[in-house]
Amino acid sequence: MISGFSGAGKGTVIGKLLQKNDHYALSISVTTRKMREGEEEGKHYFFRDEETFLKLANEGKLLEYNLYGGKNYYGTPREYVQERLCEGKDVILEIDPNGARQVKKNMPEAVLIFITPPHFDDLEKRLTGRNTETPEQIAQRLKIAAREALAMPEYDHILVNREGASQDCADQLEAIVQAEHLRTEKQQEHINALIEQSAPLREEHA
Ligand code: 5GP
């Protein structure tokens, strides 16, 4: 799960990670927020009205969901995530800390990664520069970001996305994913095989 302040550049970093290979599956969220210029239905989000969103939530079709800024709903379609996990893919969820907490409760093996710019003040520049929100919306997103900063200690990894260095950040993200696959608890079969293969030598010395 990847979270980060609005304007941290999560989308760019994730895009670069996805280009690397097809082991990754990015979950496309459902949202009630308006489509931004340059966004596409089914690529960036599934854009739905509130009634449709709440119906999906009530039918248990969302793995988690959150009302962001008290205004727009965002949620993760359950089926897509479950199917891709069954196929052995590394599923990426780009969700806020409230959603990440909900998923972690049900899937303790999930890895939480937080992406931040070097300095909190960089956010305002980035949000203003991308020209997709009004000044009021930017002010609200900065307030939400200030609250989200308090959730950072709950994350397993913190990645700093420096200006012009999103590729470095994507490389670090991939290194984290690879390291997570090498965790001892994920290699139990290999460990058991090596213990079995080495058993004769132990018996010889017994
Ligand atoms: P944006 O409007 O900038 O695309 O997203 C606003 C916030 O909603 C970001 O923090 C983003 O990570 C979060 N978000 C996007 N999709 C989901 C989702 O499916 N669930 C949750 N809980 N948050 C999401």
Side-chain angles (χ1 to χ4, degrees), residues 1 27-30 53 56-66 74-83 85 91-93 95 98-107 110:
M1 288 184 281
S27 164
I28 310 293
S29 301
V30 188
F53 186 99
L56 288 172
N58 289 333
E59 287 170 348
K61 293 197 172 141
L62 301 177
L63 189 62
E64 61 73 38
Y65 68 95
N66 183 46
Y74 294 78
T76 306
R78 184 186 295 278
E79 201 176 271
Y80 176 87
V81 174
Q82 282 172 344
E83 283 175 3
L85 286 176
V91 181
I92 313 261
L93 306 186
I95 61 179
N98 289 318
R101 251 179 234 126
Q102 291 174 52
V103 176
K104 184 79 182 174
K105 232 193 260 166
N106 302 320
M107 293 181 164

Side-chain angles (χ1 to χ4, degrees), residues 65-133:
Y65 68 95
N66 183 46
L67 183 62
Y68 179 80
K71 215 171 157 213
N72 292 311
Y73 285 100
Y74 294 78
T76 306
R78 184 186 295 278
E79 201 176 271
Y80 176 87
V81 174
Q82 282 172 344
E83 283 175 3
R84 297 294 92 71
L85 286 176
C86 286
E87 289 169 4
K89 299 254 184 196
D90 289 322
V91 181
I92 313 261
L93 306 186
E94 195 232 293
I95 61 179
D96 83 320
N98 289 318
R101 251 179 234 126
Q102 291 174 52
V103 176
K104 184 79 182 174
K105 232 193 260 166
N106 302 320
M107 293 181 164
E109 71 280 18
V111 182
L112 271 76
I113 300 163
F114 196 95
I115 300 186
T116 173
H119 197 286
F120 194 82
D121 291 349
D122 300 332
L123 291 174
E124 188 168 2
K125 275 180 261 161
R126 291 193 191 183
L127 285 171
T128 311
R130 78 182 185 190
N131 229 355
T132 48
E133 278 89 14

Side-chain angles (χ1 to χ4, degrees), residues 33-50:
R33 92 147 154 72
K34 283 207 186 81
M35 197 188 278
R36 281 183 201 140
E37 217 180 293
E39 285 184 331
E40 283 173 45
E41 163 69 17
K43 184 171 173 206
H44 297 91
Y45 283 106
F46 296 107
F47 296 92
R48 297 289 178 270
D49 60 25
E50 198 168 306

